[in-house]
Amino acid sequence: EHLLRSSDYNPQPTTMPPPSAGLAGAIGERHVICFCGLPARGKQFMAERLCRYLKFFHGAQCRIFDLASRAFGSDESVGDAVSAYLEEEDETATTQLLRSLEGIDDDSLDRLKKNVDSGKIAIIDTSDAFRTQRRAWSGTSKETRWAMQKHLASLRVRVKLLFIEVVVTDTTLVRRFLRQRLAAAAA
């Protein structure tokens, strides 16, 4: 999706291009960002906002992986989906690179691809923190975080793992959100 074209999130895009970093992308880096925290704290909202921000201002390819989704019935399916997404090659970057270089070894080729690849960011989130808190990809305990790190270390691309804990201390805000969620569930 081009940054200056109309989209559902941005029906009237600006005619000015984003800052140059938005056109350069995340420069080949791969990241997994895991949102964790107590239920009903706005983790899903923040994950969606972060994804849109990174796409627009940094040109990064982002995808949100919802642990509560039916597509991810098991921890293995989450790991497989995240791995496939992060290891997927950017064909445009590879084509540009191969046109400019010939007779280069595989290690050097992988390092050079990083400089033309726009980077990918997988955001791990859940729409049902109660149901998924014990899942291996939830990031809710030291053991799950080590398991995530171990899985990502086994990939053929280098991946940085980050955790964002969402904390809301305003009890009136939490109660209001819970009332809205219960009313929506009852409807």
Side-chain angles (χ1 to χ4, degrees):
E1 174 177 80
H2 192 270
L3 302 174
L4 302 178
R5 287 196 194 126
S6 178
S7 69
D8 291 340
Y9 290 120
N10 189 12
Q12 295 180 331
T14 182
T15 56
M16 292 292 292
S20 59
L23 299 173
I27 313 186
E29 295 290 335
R30 303 290 201 266
H31 294 85
V32 172
I33 301 172
C34 180
F35 278 85
C36 52
L38 293 173
R41 297 305 191 261
K43 295 180 295 294
Q44 189 173 24
F45 172 78
M46 292 182 71
E48 290 168 359
R49 290 292 298 261
L50 178 64
C51 185
R52 280 188 286 177
Y53 173 84
L54 292 171
K55 280 181 178 179
F56 185 79
F57 286 107
H58 297 279
Q61 297 176 40
C62 291
R63 186 176 298 165
I64 296 176
F65 295 85
D66 183 357
L67 291 178
S69 168
R70 291 178 191 210
F72 304 126
S74 68
D75 291 326
E76 292 79 27
S77 63
V78 176
D80 292 344
V82 169
S83 299
Y85 172 68
L86 293 172
E87 290 183 331
E88 184 180 66
E89 197 168 301
D90 186 345
E91 294 299 325
T92 308
T94 303
T95 304
Q96 289 173 357
L97 187 63
L98 292 176
R99 282 186 186 153
S100 64
L101 300 171
E102 288 184 24
I104 192 164
D105 62 53
D106 288 341
D107 280 347
S108 298
L109 184 63
D110 284 342
R111 278 194 306 266
L112 289 170
K113 274 185 197 176
K114 177 182 173 183
N115 295 327
V116 292
D117 186 349
S118 64
K120 291 189 178 185
I121 300 171
I123 299 176
I124 309 289
D125 179 45
T126 183
S127 55
D128 188 350
F130 287 112
R131 194 167 47 113
T132 59
Q133 75 180 34
R134 299 199 192 280
R135 300 272 307 264
W137 286 88
S138 66
T140 55
S141 70
K142 190 186 312 183
E143 290 79 18
T144 60
R145 293 176 185 196
W146 278 109
M148 291 170 73
Q149 184 64 45
K150 185 178 177 184
H151 177 83
L152 295 173
S154 71
L155 301 180
R156 62 183 171 84
V157 293
R158 184 168 178 264
V159 180
K160 294 178 181 177
L161 178 60
L162 304 152
F163 294 93
I164 297 177
E165 182 177 11
V166 179
V167 178
V168 178
T169 57
D170 184 352
T171 56
T172 57
L173 185 64
V174 174
R175 286 187 184 126
R176 183 173 20 151
F177 179 73
L178 286 172
R179 278 194 295 273
Q180 287 174 350
R181 187 174 260 189
L182 290 172

